[in-house]
PDB file of all heavy atoms in Angstrom:
ATOM      1  N   VAL A   1       8.395   3.337  -1.461  1.00 95.00           N
ATOM      2  CA  VAL A   1       9.289   2.365  -2.080  1.00 95.00           C
ATOM      3  C   VAL A   1      10.009   1.552  -1.003  1.00 95.00           C
ATOM      4  O   VAL A   1      10.204   0.350  -1.160  1.00 95.00           O
ATOM      5  CB  VAL A   1      10.306   3.074  -3.006  1.00 95.00           C
ATOM      6  CG1 VAL A   1      11.399   2.133  -3.456  1.00 95.00           C
ATOM      7  CG2 VAL A   1       9.577   3.666  -4.203  1.00 95.00           C
ATOM      8  N   ILE A   2      10.362   2.187   0.095  1.00 96.00           N
ATOM      9  CA  ILE A   2      11.082   1.485   1.153  1.00 96.00           C
ATOM     10  C   ILE A   2      10.142   0.584   1.959  1.00 96.00           C
ATOM     11  O   ILE A   2      10.420  -0.597   2.177  1.00 96.00           O
ATOM     12  CB  ILE A   2      11.795   2.494   2.083  1.00 96.00           C
ATOM     13  CG1 ILE A   2      12.851   3.263   1.278  1.00 96.00           C
ATOM     14  CG2 ILE A   2      12.428   1.799   3.276  1.00 96.00           C
ATOM     15  CD1 ILE A   2      13.448   4.432   2.014  1.00 96.00           C
ATOM     16  N   ILE A   3       9.012   1.147   2.429  1.00 96.00           N
ATOM     17  CA  ILE A   3       8.045   0.411   3.250  1.00 96.00           C
ATOM     18  C   ILE A   3       6.639   0.701   2.701  1.00 96.00           C
ATOM     19  O   ILE A   3       6.002   1.675   3.096  1.00 96.00           O
ATOM     20  CB  ILE A   3       8.128   0.821   4.730  1.00 96.00           C
ATOM     21  CG1 ILE A   3       9.563   0.724   5.240  1.00 96.00           C
ATOM     22  CG2 ILE A   3       7.203  -0.043   5.580  1.00 96.00           C
ATOM     23  CD1 ILE A   3       9.774   1.355   6.587  1.00 96.00           C
ATOM     24  N   PRO A   4       6.142  -0.146   1.792  1.00 96.00           N
ATOM     25  CA  PRO A   4       4.857   0.126   1.149  1.00 96.00           C
ATOM     26  C   PRO A   4       3.663   0.372   2.091  1.00 96.00           C
ATOM     27  O   PRO A   4       2.874   1.277   1.840  1.00 96.00           O
ATOM     28  CB  PRO A   4       4.629  -1.099   0.267  1.00 96.00           C
ATOM     29  CG  PRO A   4       6.000  -1.584  -0.043  1.00 96.00           C
ATOM     30  CD  PRO A   4       6.798  -1.317   1.202  1.00 96.00           C
ATOM     31  N   PRO A   5       3.497  -0.376   3.206  1.00 96.00           N
ATOM     32  CA  PRO A   5       2.334  -0.097   4.062  1.00 96.00           C
ATOM     33  C   PRO A   5       2.351   1.309   4.677  1.00 96.00           C
ATOM     34  O   PRO A   5       1.299   1.915   4.846  1.00 96.00           O
ATOM     35  CB  PRO A   5       2.405  -1.164   5.148  1.00 96.00           C
ATOM     36  CG  PRO A   5       3.153  -2.276   4.521  1.00 96.00           C
ATOM     37  CD  PRO A   5       4.154  -1.622   3.626  1.00 96.00           C
ATOM     38  N   ILE A   6       3.529   1.829   4.980  1.00 96.00           N
ATOM     39  CA  ILE A   6       3.601   3.184   5.531  1.00 96.00           C
ATOM     40  C   ILE A   6       3.177   4.197   4.471  1.00 96.00           C
ATOM     41  O   ILE A   6       2.469   5.164   4.771  1.00 96.00           O
ATOM     42  CB  ILE A   6       5.026   3.486   6.053  1.00 96.00           C
ATOM     43  CG1 ILE A   6       5.433   2.492   7.130  1.00 96.00           C
ATOM     44  CG2 ILE A   6       5.123   4.912   6.560  1.00 96.00           C
ATOM     45  CD1 ILE A   6       4.562   2.521   8.370  1.00 96.00           C
ATOM     46  N   GLY A   7       3.582   3.970   3.233  1.00 94.00           N
ATOM     47  CA  GLY A   7       3.157   4.850   2.143  1.00 94.00           C
ATOM     48  C   GLY A   7       1.649   4.809   1.942  1.00 94.00           C
ATOM     49  O   GLY A   7       1.020   5.832   1.696  1.00 94.00           O
ATOM     50  N   ALA A   8       1.069   3.616   2.057  1.00 94.00           N
ATOM     51  CA  ALA A   8      -0.386   3.495   1.947  1.00 94.00           C
ATOM     52  C   ALA A   8      -1.074   4.206   3.106  1.00 94.00           C
ATOM     53  O   ALA A   8      -2.091   4.874   2.917  1.00 94.00           O
ATOM     54  CB  ALA A   8      -0.795   2.023   1.908  1.00 94.00           C
ATOM     55  N   PHE A   9      -0.518   4.083   4.296  1.00 95.00           N
ATOM     56  CA  PHE A   9      -1.084   4.762   5.462  1.00 95.00           C
ATOM     57  C   PHE A   9      -1.056   6.277   5.281  1.00 95.00           C
ATOM     58  O   PHE A   9      -2.024   6.968   5.601  1.00 95.00           O
ATOM     59  CB  PHE A   9      -0.324   4.362   6.728  1.00 95.00           C
ATOM     60  CG  PHE A   9      -0.737   5.151   7.938  1.00 95.00           C
ATOM     61  CD1 PHE A   9      -1.933   4.883   8.567  1.00 95.00           C
ATOM     62  CD2 PHE A   9       0.061   6.166   8.429  1.00 95.00           C
ATOM     63  CE1 PHE A   9      -2.332   5.614   9.682  1.00 95.00           C
ATOM     64  CE2 PHE A   9      -0.310   6.908   9.533  1.00 95.00           C
ATOM     65  CZ  PHE A   9      -1.519   6.626  10.160  1.00 95.00           C
ATOM     66  N   LEU A  10       0.046   6.803   4.763  1.00 93.00           N
ATOM     67  CA  LEU A  10       0.144   8.245   4.555  1.00 93.00           C
ATOM     68  C   LEU A  10      -0.858   8.738   3.514  1.00 93.00           C
ATOM     69  O   LEU A  10      -1.284   9.887   3.560  1.00 93.00           O
ATOM     70  CB  LEU A  10       1.567   8.620   4.123  1.00 93.00           C
ATOM     71  CG  LEU A  10       2.643   8.451   5.189  1.00 93.00           C
ATOM     72  CD1 LEU A  10       4.015   8.715   4.581  1.00 93.00           C
ATOM     73  CD2 LEU A  10       2.394   9.350   6.378  1.00 93.00           C
ATOM     74  N   LYS A  11      -1.229   7.873   2.572  1.00 91.00           N
ATOM     75  CA  LYS A  11      -2.173   8.267   1.523  1.00 91.00           C
ATOM     76  C   LYS A  11      -3.631   8.112   1.965  1.00 91.00           C
ATOM     77  O   LYS A  11      -4.434   9.013   1.761  1.00 91.00           O
ATOM     78  CB  LYS A  11      -1.902   7.436   0.260  1.00 91.00           C
ATOM     79  CG  LYS A  11      -2.800   7.731  -0.896  1.00 91.00           C
ATOM     80  CD  LYS A  11      -2.521   9.078  -1.496  1.00 91.00           C
ATOM     81  CE  LYS A  11      -3.374   9.272  -2.737  1.00 91.00           C
ATOM     82  NZ  LYS A  11      -3.107  10.527  -3.380  1.00 91.00           N
ATOM     83  N   VAL A  12      -3.980   6.985   2.574  1.00 93.00           N
ATOM     84  CA  VAL A  12      -5.396   6.694   2.841  1.00 93.00           C
ATOM     85  C   VAL A  12      -5.742   6.508   4.311  1.00 93.00           C
ATOM     86  O   VAL A  12      -6.906   6.322   4.649  1.00 93.00           O
ATOM     87  CB  VAL A  12      -5.872   5.449   2.052  1.00 93.00           C
ATOM     88  CG1 VAL A  12      -5.767   5.682   0.577  1.00 93.00           C
ATOM     89  CG2 VAL A  12      -5.101   4.215   2.450  1.00 93.00           C
ATOM     90  N   GLY A  13      -4.766   6.512   5.201  1.00 93.00           N
ATOM     91  CA  GLY A  13      -5.059   6.295   6.619  1.00 93.00           C
ATOM     92  C   GLY A  13      -5.229   4.808   6.899  1.00 93.00           C
ATOM     93  O   GLY A  13      -4.744   3.955   6.172  1.00 93.00           O
ATOM     94  N   LEU A  14      -5.945   4.490   7.971  1.00 95.00           N
ATOM     95  CA  LEU A  14      -6.135   3.088   8.381  1.00 95.00           C
ATOM     96  C   LEU A  14      -7.369   2.460   7.746  1.00 95.00           C
ATOM     97  O   LEU A  14      -8.053   1.662   8.364  1.00 95.00           O
ATOM     98  CB  LEU A  14      -6.247   2.993   9.903  1.00 95.00           C
ATOM     99  CG  LEU A  14      -4.936   3.086  10.664  1.00 95.00           C
ATOM    100  CD1 LEU A  14      -5.200   3.089  12.164  1.00 95.00           C
ATOM    101  CD2 LEU A  14      -4.003   1.969  10.290  1.00 95.00           C
ATOM    102  N   GLY A  15      -7.610   2.770   6.506  1.00 94.00           N
ATOM    103  CA  GLY A  15      -8.761   2.224   5.799  1.00 94.00           C
ATOM    104  C   GLY A  15      -8.482   0.857   5.204  1.00 94.00           C
ATOM    105  O   GLY A  15      -7.444   0.228   5.447  1.00 94.00           O
ATOM    106  N   LEU A  16      -9.409   0.417   4.405  1.00 95.00           N
ATOM    107  CA  LEU A  16      -9.327  -0.908   3.781  1.00 95.00           C
ATOM    108  C   LEU A  16      -8.091  -1.029   2.896  1.00 95.00           C
ATOM    109  O   LEU A  16      -7.424  -2.071   2.898  1.00 95.00           O
ATOM    110  CB  LEU A  16     -10.589  -1.166   2.954  1.00 95.00           C
ATOM    111  CG  LEU A  16     -10.637  -2.477   2.190  1.00 95.00           C
ATOM    112  CD1 LEU A  16     -10.639  -3.650   3.161  1.00 95.00           C
ATOM    113  CD2 LEU A  16     -11.840  -2.518   1.282  1.00 95.00           C
ATOM    114  N   GLN A  17      -7.754   0.014   2.161  1.00 95.00           N
ATOM    115  CA  GLN A  17      -6.608  -0.052   1.264  1.00 95.00           C
ATOM    116  C   GLN A  17      -5.293  -0.252   2.029  1.00 95.00           C
ATOM    117  O   GLN A  17      -4.390  -0.921   1.541  1.00 95.00           O
ATOM    118  CB  GLN A  17      -6.525   1.208   0.400  1.00 95.00           C
ATOM    119  CG  GLN A  17      -7.667   1.366  -0.564  1.00 95.00           C
ATOM    120  CD  GLN A  17      -7.762   0.218  -1.557  1.00 95.00           C
ATOM    121  OE1 GLN A  17      -6.769  -0.311  -2.020  1.00 95.00           O
ATOM    122  NE2 GLN A  17      -8.989  -0.180  -1.863  1.00 95.00           N
ATOM    123  N   PHE A  18      -5.190   0.311   3.216  1.00 96.00           N
ATOM    124  CA  PHE A  18      -3.996   0.090   4.042  1.00 96.00           C
ATOM    125  C   PHE A  18      -3.862  -1.383   4.400  1.00 96.00           C
ATOM    126  O   PHE A  18      -2.788  -1.964   4.293  1.00 96.00           O
ATOM    127  CB  PHE A  18      -4.045   0.934   5.313  1.00 96.00           C
ATOM    128  CG  PHE A  18      -3.009   0.533   6.327  1.00 96.00           C
ATOM    129  CD1 PHE A  18      -1.684   0.907   6.162  1.00 96.00           C
ATOM    130  CD2 PHE A  18      -3.349  -0.241   7.429  1.00 96.00           C
ATOM    131  CE1 PHE A  18      -0.711   0.525   7.088  1.00 96.00           C
ATOM    132  CE2 PHE A  18      -2.390  -0.627   8.351  1.00 96.00           C
ATOM    133  CZ  PHE A  18      -1.069  -0.241   8.180  1.00 96.00           C
ATOM    134  N   TRP A  19      -4.941  -1.993   4.841  1.00 97.00           N
ATOM    135  CA  TRP A  19      -4.886  -3.400   5.264  1.00 97.00           C
ATOM    136  C   TRP A  19      -4.628  -4.316   4.075  1.00 97.00           C
ATOM    137  O   TRP A  19      -3.909  -5.316   4.200  1.00 97.00           O
ATOM    138  CB  TRP A  19      -6.164  -3.787   5.999  1.00 97.00           C
ATOM    139  CG  TRP A  19      -6.282  -3.039   7.290  1.00 97.00           C
ATOM    140  CD1 TRP A  19      -7.148  -2.029   7.569  1.00 97.00           C
ATOM    141  CD2 TRP A  19      -5.461  -3.193   8.450  1.00 97.00           C
ATOM    142  NE1 TRP A  19      -6.918  -1.557   8.846  1.00 97.00           N
ATOM    143  CE2 TRP A  19      -5.900  -2.247   9.413  1.00 97.00           C
ATOM    144  CE3 TRP A  19      -4.407  -4.036   8.785  1.00 97.00           C
ATOM    145  CZ2 TRP A  19      -5.309  -2.135  10.669  1.00 97.00           C
ATOM    146  CZ3 TRP A  19      -3.820  -3.923  10.037  1.00 97.00           C
ATOM    147  CH2 TRP A  19      -4.273  -2.985  10.961  1.00 97.00           C
ATOM    148  N   ILE A  20      -5.200  -3.989   2.924  1.00 96.00           N
ATOM    149  CA  ILE A  20      -4.910  -4.765   1.716  1.00 96.00           C
ATOM    150  C   ILE A  20      -3.428  -4.677   1.392  1.00 96.00           C
ATOM    151  O   ILE A  20      -2.785  -5.673   1.076  1.00 96.00           O
ATOM    152  CB  ILE A  20      -5.777  -4.288   0.539  1.00 96.00           C
ATOM    153  CG1 ILE A  20      -7.234  -4.661   0.773  1.00 96.00           C
ATOM    154  CG2 ILE A  20      -5.281  -4.863  -0.787  1.00 96.00           C
ATOM    155  CD1 ILE A  20      -8.195  -4.074  -0.233  1.00 96.00           C
ATOM    156  N   ASN A  21      -2.878  -3.466   1.482  1.00 97.00           N
ATOM    157  CA  ASN A  21      -1.467  -3.291   1.189  1.00 97.00           C
ATOM    158  C   ASN A  21      -0.595  -4.032   2.189  1.00 97.00           C
ATOM    159  O   ASN A  21       0.418  -4.625   1.805  1.00 97.00           O
ATOM    160  CB  ASN A  21      -1.105  -1.809   1.163  1.00 97.00           C
ATOM    161  CG  ASN A  21       0.295  -1.595   0.675  1.00 97.00           C
ATOM    162  OD1 ASN A  21       1.226  -1.616   1.456  1.00 97.00           O
ATOM    163  ND2 ASN A  21       0.427  -1.421  -0.626  1.00 97.00           N
ATOM    164  N   LEU A  22      -0.960  -4.021   3.437  1.00 96.00           N
ATOM    165  CA  LEU A  22      -0.189  -4.740   4.454  1.00 96.00           C
ATOM    166  C   LEU A  22      -0.163  -6.238   4.150  1.00 96.00           C
ATOM    167  O   LEU A  22       0.893  -6.874   4.207  1.00 96.00           O
ATOM    168  CB  LEU A  22      -0.772  -4.483   5.843  1.00 96.00           C
ATOM    169  CG  LEU A  22      -0.028  -5.109   7.005  1.00 96.00           C
ATOM    170  CD1 LEU A  22       1.370  -4.515   7.134  1.00 96.00           C
ATOM    171  CD2 LEU A  22      -0.804  -4.907   8.291  1.00 96.00           C
ATOM    172  N   ILE A  23      -1.313  -6.799   3.807  1.00 97.00           N
ATOM    173  CA  ILE A  23      -1.386  -8.230   3.483  1.00 97.00           C
ATOM    174  C   ILE A  23      -0.576  -8.547   2.234  1.00 97.00           C
ATOM    175  O   ILE A  23       0.164  -9.533   2.185  1.00 97.00           O
ATOM    176  CB  ILE A  23      -2.857  -8.667   3.330  1.00 97.00           C
ATOM    177  CG1 ILE A  23      -3.545  -8.618   4.694  1.00 97.00           C
ATOM    178  CG2 ILE A  23      -2.957 -10.068   2.725  1.00 97.00           C
ATOM    179  CD1 ILE A  23      -5.046  -8.758   4.636  1.00 97.00           C
ATOM    180  N   LEU A  24      -0.684  -7.688   1.209  1.00 97.00           N
ATOM    181  CA  LEU A  24       0.087  -7.909  -0.010  1.00 97.00           C
ATOM    182  C   LEU A  24       1.583  -7.819   0.260  1.00 97.00           C
ATOM    183  O   LEU A  24       2.369  -8.591  -0.295  1.00 97.00           O
ATOM    184  CB  LEU A  24      -0.312  -6.897  -1.083  1.00 97.00           C
ATOM    185  CG  LEU A  24      -1.673  -7.114  -1.733  1.00 97.00           C
ATOM    186  CD1 LEU A  24      -2.036  -5.935  -2.618  1.00 97.00           C
ATOM    187  CD2 LEU A  24      -1.689  -8.407  -2.521  1.00 97.00           C
ATOM    188  N   THR A  25       1.992  -6.895   1.100  1.00 96.00           N
ATOM    189  CA  THR A  25       3.409  -6.758   1.419  1.00 96.00           C
ATOM    190  C   THR A  25       3.902  -7.963   2.217  1.00 96.00           C
ATOM    191  O   THR A  25       5.036  -8.414   2.024  1.00 96.00           O
ATOM    192  CB  THR A  25       3.669  -5.457   2.192  1.00 96.00           C
ATOM    193  OG1 THR A  25       3.207  -4.357   1.413  1.00 96.00           O
ATOM    194  CG2 THR A  25       5.146  -5.267   2.471  1.00 96.00           C
ATOM    195  N   LEU A  26       3.074  -8.496   3.096  1.00 97.00           N
ATOM    196  CA  LEU A  26       3.473  -9.689   3.841  1.00 97.00           C
ATOM    197  C   LEU A  26       3.588 -10.912   2.930  1.00 97.00           C
ATOM    198  O   LEU A  26       4.390 -11.804   3.188  1.00 97.00           O
ATOM    199  CB  LEU A  26       2.482  -9.963   4.977  1.00 97.00           C
ATOM    200  CG  LEU A  26       2.527  -8.957   6.133  1.00 97.00           C
ATOM    201  CD1 LEU A  26       1.406  -9.258   7.125  1.00 97.00           C
ATOM    202  CD2 LEU A  26       3.874  -8.958   6.820  1.00 97.00           C
ATOM    203  N   CYS A  27       2.779 -10.940   1.868  1.00 96.00           N
ATOM    204  CA  CYS A  27       2.871 -12.039   0.898  1.00 96.00           C
ATOM    205  C   CYS A  27       4.122 -11.913   0.036  1.00 96.00           C
ATOM    206  O   CYS A  27       4.624 -12.906  -0.477  1.00 96.00           O
ATOM    207  CB  CYS A  27       1.636 -12.065   0.008  1.00 96.00           C
ATOM    208  SG  CYS A  27       0.148 -12.553   0.884  1.00 96.00           S
ATOM    209  N   GLY A  28       4.577 -10.710  -0.150  1.00 93.00           N
ATOM    210  CA  GLY A  28       5.773 -10.455  -0.956  1.00 93.00           C
ATOM    211  C   GLY A  28       5.931  -8.965  -1.137  1.00 93.00           C
ATOM    212  O   GLY A  28       4.935  -8.237  -1.240  1.00 93.00           O
ATOM    213  N   TYR A  29       7.150  -8.515  -1.193  1.00 94.00           N
ATOM    214  CA  TYR A  29       7.405  -7.069  -1.295  1.00 94.00           C
ATOM    215  C   TYR A  29       6.817  -6.478  -2.578  1.00 94.00           C
ATOM    216  O   TYR A  29       6.211  -5.415  -2.554  1.00 94.00           O
ATOM    217  CB  TYR A  29       8.913  -6.830  -1.244  1.00 94.00           C
ATOM    218  CG  TYR A  29       9.316  -5.400  -1.474  1.00 94.00           C
ATOM    219  CD1 TYR A  29       9.159  -4.460  -0.468  1.00 94.00           C
ATOM    220  CD2 TYR A  29       9.837  -4.990  -2.694  1.00 94.00           C
ATOM    221  CE1 TYR A  29       9.520  -3.142  -0.674  1.00 94.00           C
ATOM    222  CE2 TYR A  29      10.195  -3.683  -2.905  1.00 94.00           C
ATOM    223  CZ  TYR A  29      10.037  -2.756  -1.895  1.00 94.00           C
ATOM    224  OH  TYR A  29      10.388  -1.455  -2.103  1.00 94.00           O
ATOM    225  N   PHE A  30       6.992  -7.173  -3.696  1.00 96.00           N
ATOM    226  CA  PHE A  30       6.576  -6.635  -4.991  1.00 96.00           C
ATOM    227  C   PHE A  30       5.068  -6.380  -5.098  1.00 96.00           C
ATOM    228  O   PHE A  30       4.669  -5.312  -5.579  1.00 96.00           O
ATOM    229  CB  PHE A  30       7.061  -7.547  -6.124  1.00 96.00           C
ATOM    230  CG  PHE A  30       6.831  -6.969  -7.481  1.00 96.00           C
ATOM    231  CD1 PHE A  30       7.565  -5.875  -7.922  1.00 96.00           C
ATOM    232  CD2 PHE A  30       5.876  -7.509  -8.314  1.00 96.00           C
ATOM    233  CE1 PHE A  30       7.342  -5.334  -9.168  1.00 96.00           C
ATOM    234  CE2 PHE A  30       5.644  -6.977  -9.562  1.00 96.00           C
ATOM    235  CZ  PHE A  30       6.382  -5.883  -9.993  1.00 96.00           C
ATOM    236  N   PRO A  31       4.185  -7.298  -4.671  1.00 96.00           N
ATOM    237  CA  PRO A  31       2.747  -6.995  -4.738  1.00 96.00           C
ATOM    238  C   PRO A  31       2.353  -5.771  -3.907  1.00 96.00           C
ATOM    239  O   PRO A  31       1.529  -4.958  -4.337  1.00 96.00           O
ATOM    240  CB  PRO A  31       2.072  -8.258  -4.200  1.00 96.00           C
ATOM    241  CG  PRO A  31       3.061  -9.326  -4.378  1.00 96.00           C
ATOM    242  CD  PRO A  31       4.409  -8.680  -4.241  1.00 96.00           C
ATOM    243  N   GLY A  32       2.957  -5.619  -2.743  1.00 96.00           N
ATOM    244  CA  GLY A  32       2.684  -4.447  -1.919  1.00 96.00           C
ATOM    245  C   GLY A  32       3.173  -3.174  -2.578  1.00 96.00           C
ATOM    246  O   GLY A  32       2.522  -2.127  -2.509  1.00 96.00           O
ATOM    247  N   LEU A  33       4.319  -3.250  -3.231  1.00 96.00           N
ATOM    248  CA  LEU A  33       4.871  -2.084  -3.931  1.00 96.00           C
ATOM    249  C   LEU A  33       3.991  -1.681  -5.102  1.00 96.00           C
ATOM    250  O   LEU A  33       3.700  -0.488  -5.291  1.00 96.00           O
ATOM    251  CB  LEU A  33       6.286  -2.395  -4.415  1.00 96.00           C
ATOM    252  CG  LEU A  33       7.018  -1.271  -5.120  1.00 96.00           C
ATOM    253  CD1 LEU A  33       7.209  -0.077  -4.186  1.00 96.00           C
ATOM    254  CD2 LEU A  33       8.343  -1.753  -5.663  1.00 96.00           C
ATOM    255  N   VAL A  34       3.534  -2.647  -5.868  1.00 96.00           N
ATOM    256  CA  VAL A  34       2.646  -2.344  -7.000  1.00 96.00           C
ATOM    257  C   VAL A  34       1.353  -1.707  -6.501  1.00 96.00           C
ATOM    258  O   VAL A  34       0.864  -0.731  -7.074  1.00 96.00           O
ATOM    259  CB  VAL A  34       2.358  -3.623  -7.819  1.00 96.00           C
ATOM    260  CG1 VAL A  34       1.257  -3.382  -8.840  1.00 96.00           C
ATOM    261  CG2 VAL A  34       3.624  -4.111  -8.493  1.00 96.00           C
ATOM    262  N   HIS A  35       0.810  -2.225  -5.422  1.00 96.00           N
ATOM    263  CA  HIS A  35      -0.438  -1.692  -4.884  1.00 96.00           C
ATOM    264  C   HIS A  35      -0.262  -0.261  -4.395  1.00 96.00           C
ATOM    265  O   HIS A  35      -1.104   0.601  -4.649  1.00 96.00           O
ATOM    266  CB  HIS A  35      -0.952  -2.588  -3.756  1.00 96.00           C
ATOM    267  CG  HIS A  35      -2.251  -2.145  -3.184  1.00 96.00           C
ATOM    268  ND1 HIS A  35      -2.339  -1.499  -1.973  1.00 96.00           N
ATOM    269  CD2 HIS A  35      -3.510  -2.228  -3.657  1.00 96.00           C
ATOM    270  CE1 HIS A  35      -3.602  -1.220  -1.732  1.00 96.00           C
ATOM    271  NE2 HIS A  35      -4.337  -1.655  -2.737  1.00 96.00           N
ATOM    272  N   VAL A  36       0.816   0.034  -3.689  1.00 96.00           N
ATOM    273  CA  VAL A  36       1.008   1.387  -3.172  1.00 96.00           C
ATOM    274  C   VAL A  36       1.277   2.369  -4.313  1.00 96.00           C
ATOM    275  O   VAL A  36       0.835   3.509  -4.260  1.00 96.00           O
ATOM    276  CB  VAL A  36       2.095   1.440  -2.085  1.00 96.00           C
ATOM    277  CG1 VAL A  36       3.494   1.410  -2.646  1.00 96.00           C
ATOM    278  CG2 VAL A  36       1.916   2.672  -1.223  1.00 96.00           C
ATOM    279  N   ILE A  37       1.958   1.919  -5.352  1.00 94.00           N
ATOM    280  CA  ILE A  37       2.144   2.805  -6.509  1.00 94.00           C
ATOM    281  C   ILE A  37       0.803   3.091  -7.158  1.00 94.00           C
ATOM    282  O   ILE A  37       0.512   4.225  -7.546  1.00 94.00           O
ATOM    283  CB  ILE A  37       3.142   2.182  -7.510  1.00 94.00           C
ATOM    284  CG1 ILE A  37       4.548   2.200  -6.910  1.00 94.00           C
ATOM    285  CG2 ILE A  37       3.129   2.917  -8.845  1.00 94.00           C
ATOM    286  CD1 ILE A  37       5.581   1.437  -7.699  1.00 94.00           C
ATOM    287  N   TRP A  38      -0.037   2.079  -7.256  1.00 95.00           N
ATOM    288  CA  TRP A  38      -1.382   2.287  -7.796  1.00 95.00           C
ATOM    289  C   TRP A  38      -2.164   3.279  -6.943  1.00 95.00           C
ATOM    290  O   TRP A  38      -2.859   4.152  -7.467  1.00 95.00           O
ATOM    291  CB  TRP A  38      -2.117   0.937  -7.879  1.00 95.00           C
ATOM    292  CG  TRP A  38      -3.531   1.058  -8.311  1.00 95.00           C
ATOM    293  CD1 TRP A  38      -3.983   1.304  -9.572  1.00 95.00           C
ATOM    294  CD2 TRP A  38      -4.690   0.970  -7.473  1.00 95.00           C
ATOM    295  NE1 TRP A  38      -5.355   1.349  -9.563  1.00 95.00           N
ATOM    296  CE2 TRP A  38      -5.813   1.158  -8.297  1.00 95.00           C
ATOM    297  CE3 TRP A  38      -4.880   0.749  -6.125  1.00 95.00           C
ATOM    298  CZ2 TRP A  38      -7.118   1.117  -7.795  1.00 95.00           C
ATOM    299  CZ3 TRP A  38      -6.168   0.714  -5.635  1.00 95.00           C
ATOM    300  CH2 TRP A  38      -7.254   0.896  -6.462  1.00 95.00           C
ATOM    301  N   LEU A  39      -2.033   3.169  -5.614  1.00 93.00           N
ATOM    302  CA  LEU A  39      -2.712   4.105  -4.722  1.00 93.00           C
ATOM    303  C   LEU A  39      -2.214   5.542  -4.917  1.00 93.00           C
ATOM    304  O   LEU A  39      -2.998   6.487  -4.885  1.00 93.00           O
ATOM    305  CB  LEU A  39      -2.493   3.719  -3.263  1.00 93.00           C
ATOM    306  CG  LEU A  39      -3.309   2.584  -2.702  1.00 93.00           C
ATOM    307  CD1 LEU A  39      -2.867   2.285  -1.266  1.00 93.00           C
ATOM    308  CD2 LEU A  39      -4.776   2.889  -2.740  1.00 93.00           C
ATOM    309  N   LEU A  40      -0.917   5.693  -5.122  1.00 92.00           N
ATOM    310  CA  LEU A  40      -0.345   7.031  -5.249  1.00 92.00           C
ATOM    311  C   LEU A  40      -0.704   7.711  -6.567  1.00 92.00           C
ATOM    312  O   LEU A  40      -0.879   8.926  -6.612  1.00 92.00           O
ATOM    313  CB  LEU A  40       1.177   6.969  -5.105  1.00 92.00           C
ATOM    314  CG  LEU A  40       1.699   6.624  -3.717  1.00 92.00           C
ATOM    315  CD1 LEU A  40       3.203   6.486  -3.748  1.00 92.00           C
ATOM    316  CD2 LEU A  40       1.277   7.657  -2.692  1.00 92.00           C
ATOM    317  N   VAL A  41      -0.837   6.941  -7.641  1.00 92.00           N
ATOM    318  CA  VAL A  41      -1.099   7.574  -8.938  1.00 92.00           C
ATOM    319  C   VAL A  41      -2.582   7.729  -9.271  1.00 92.00           C
ATOM    320  O   VAL A  41      -2.930   8.538 -10.114  1.00 92.00           O
ATOM    321  CB  VAL A  41      -0.392   6.825 -10.099  1.00 92.00           C
ATOM    322  CG1 VAL A  41       1.097   6.847  -9.923  1.00 92.00           C
ATOM    323  CG2 VAL A  41      -0.909   5.429 -10.251  1.00 92.00           C
ATOM    324  N   ARG A  42      -3.456   6.988  -8.606  1.00 88.00           N
ATOM    325  CA  ARG A  42      -4.886   7.145  -8.899  1.00 88.00           C
ATOM    326  C   ARG A  42      -5.424   8.377  -8.194  1.00 88.00           C
ATOM    327  O   ARG A  42      -4.990   8.752  -7.123  1.00 88.00           O
ATOM    328  CB  ARG A  42      -5.684   5.914  -8.497  1.00 88.00           C
ATOM    329  CG  ARG A  42      -5.966   5.834  -7.032  1.00 88.00           C
ATOM    330  CD  ARG A  42      -6.851   4.677  -6.700  1.00 88.00           C
ATOM    331  NE  ARG A  42      -6.934   4.583  -5.266  1.00 88.00           N
ATOM    332  CZ  ARG A  42      -8.077   4.576  -4.607  1.00 88.00           C
ATOM    333  NH1 ARG A  42      -9.207   4.577  -5.247  1.00 88.00           N
ATOM    334  NH2 ARG A  42      -8.075   4.527  -3.296  1.00 88.00           N
ATOM    335  N   LYS A  43      -6.371   9.024  -8.819  1.00 71.00           N
ATOM    336  CA  LYS A  43      -6.985  10.193  -8.201  1.00 71.00           C
ATOM    337  C   LYS A  43      -8.248  10.554  -8.914  1.00 71.00           C
ATOM    338  O   LYS A  43      -8.418  10.389 -10.055  1.00 71.00           O
ATOM    339  CB  LYS A  43      -6.042  11.378  -8.223  1.00 71.00           C
ATOM    340  CG  LYS A  43      -6.405  12.404  -7.206  1.00 71.00           C
ATOM    341  CD  LYS A  43      -5.264  13.328  -6.944  1.00 71.00           C
ATOM    342  CE  LYS A  43      -5.561  14.049  -5.666  1.00 71.00           C
ATOM    343  NZ  LYS A  43      -4.513  14.933  -5.280  1.00 71.00           N
TER     344      LYS A  43
END
């Protein structure tokens, strides 16, 4: 919630999803937050 790319990194490492989340967070905090929440709840 505080830093979405770090949360994505902790979940998936330096994979494609991390870089997508970083780009989304740079475009705006909310898109990055939605993406990281999606990453955390999918399994």
Side-chain angles (χ1 to χ4, degrees):
V1 169
I2 297 170
I3 308 169
I6 301 298
F9 173 75
L10 291 174
K11 180 70 175 182
V12 298
L14 282 176
L16 177 64
Q17 294 299 323
F18 168 77
W19 294 108
I20 291 172
N21 188 272
L22 183 64
I23 291 168
L24 287 171
T25 303
L26 290 174
C27 291
Y29 174 76
F30 188 70
L33 182 62
V34 170
H35 182 257
V36 78
I37 290 171
W38 175 75
L39 282 176
L40 291 175
V41 298
R42 79 175 173 125
K43 201 162 196 178

